[in-house]
Amino acid sequence: MTCMLNFDGKKYLPGKSFQWRGNAGDFAFGLDEQQIRFFKEIINKHAIQKVLDVFCGNGELAVLLAQWDKDVTVFVPEPLLIKEINSKSIQAGVKLGICLGDMRDISALYREQCGLIVCLQNSLSCLLSKEDICGTLAQMYLKLKPGGVLVMHTLNYDYLLKRDHCPVSVLERQHAGLKIKLWLKPGKEREKAKLIFDVVPADGKNGAHPGPGEEIIVPVRPLFKKELDLWLTELGYKKIKSYGWFDCKTALNNSCHRITVASRPG
């Protein structure tokens, strides 16, 4: 299997001081305190025991859920990442089920049903086609137990595409001395766009900029709320709700992110 995120147009940072590792979503959309509280509430409210994380990134959330004594399985899109995820789980004293592959092959990779499926880091729209997206959502539905919950993070494309080449607010995180700005560049066609991750070294002393950075371009298929809700409804999902962030308070009309929660009827 190949990684779903197709990076092109890279401009590498000079030297070896700021080597980019992993996928850009780990840095831009990484785990924060609001996400932790959100998933704690989901786990407790629905008495979740089994979790499937279909795009685990650096594995932070999966390890945390396993530390809460949940049976967690993750999909890892690249062989080289398996060792890293496995190492993190061992260091945390937990065990993860690790499958090599991506979310388009859920039925072949995951033979069980679970109470919670997690699909974060805007990964669903990186599938690039309606057929792949709807096919994946259908497989997720079948892998949820009755009453099970699907949680997805995507960008709020309805909000972003009203603007031209606008910056996307990301978590204020620093990793290996880096900062990031994320831009959405609409394509000529409605169903095409590009995320541009502008990764730069953190500011030096007195605010001085230490030098040029790296640009990572990720093709995406924008997911609009109306169509995503329609697809979920047609597939049988119920209790479909959308939020501007994991605090469940941020309004969609004022957020560049969208958190979608949907359930399989119990």
Side-chain angles (χ1 to χ4, degrees), residues 51 89 94 96 126 194 217 232 257:
V51 182
S89 65
V94 298
L96 299 176
C126 293
K194 291 181 179 179
I217 300 175
L232 290 169
H257 299 283

Side-chain angles (χ1 to χ4, degrees), residues 39-94:
F39 282 105
K40 190 69 173 178
E41 291 178 6
I42 289 282
I43 291 288
N44 292 336
K45 180 179 179 180
H46 298 278
I48 303 295
Q49 292 301 319
K50 286 188 176 183
V51 182
L52 175 61
D53 189 341
V54 299
F55 190 77
C56 71
N58 61 18
E60 284 183 314
L61 177 61
V63 168
L64 177 65
L65 294 174
Q67 288 177 319
W68 294 345
D69 296 323
K70 306 307 170 186
D71 181 347
V72 183
T73 299
V74 299
F75 286 1
V76 180
E78 295 180 353
L80 292 177
L81 293 177
I82 292 180
K83 184 177 180 180
E84 181 178 342
I85 299 296
N86 192 47
S87 177
K88 285 185 177 181
S89 65
I90 292 174
Q91 290 177 10
V94 298

Side-chain angles (χ1 to χ4, degrees), residues 122-252:
N122 195 49
S123 54
L124 192 65
S125 66
C126 293
L127 296 182
L128 300 182
S129 73
K130 175 184 176 181
E131 292 74 20
D132 276 349
I133 292 170
C134 287
T136 298
L137 290 171
Q139 292 180 77
M140 289 178 179
Y141 181 89
L142 295 174
K143 292 302 178 182
L144 283 173
K145 294 180 178 179
V149 181
L150 169 63
V151 177
M152 296 182 291
H153 164 263
T154 62
L155 293 178
N156 185 356
Y157 293 102
D158 300 81
Y159 174 83
L160 293 172
L161 290 180
K162 294 177 182 178
R163 296 152 176 80
D164 182 27
H165 200 249
C166 64
V168 176
S169 299
V170 299
L171 298 180
E172 293 181 358
R173 296 167 60 93
Q174 288 195 354
H175 179 68
L178 301 177
K179 287 186 176 181
I180 188 170
K181 291 183 178 179
L182 178 59
W183 299 76
L184 181 70
K185 184 177 182 179
K188 294 181 180 180
E189 300 177 35
R190 176 179 169 87
E191 295 184 354
K192 292 183 179 180
K194 291 181 179 179
L195 294 180
I196 302 173
F197 293 80
D198 185 16
V199 187
V200 298
D203 292 340
K205 294 182 179 180
N206 301 320
H209 198 289
E214 173 185 358
E215 186 178 84
I216 299 175
I217 300 175
V218 183
V220 292
R221 197 282 189 191
L223 289 173
F224 301 97
K225 184 179 184 303
K226 183 176 180 180
E227 67 177 358
L228 181 58
D229 287 353
L230 176 62
W231 296 344
L232 290 169
T233 300
E234 290 177 341
L235 290 169
Y237 289 93
K238 302 294 184 181
K239 299 180 181 179
I240 302 167
K241 297 181 180 179
S242 298
Y243 308 99
W245 190 240
F246 287 99
D247 58 6
C248 299
K249 297 178 182 178
T250 303
L252 284 172

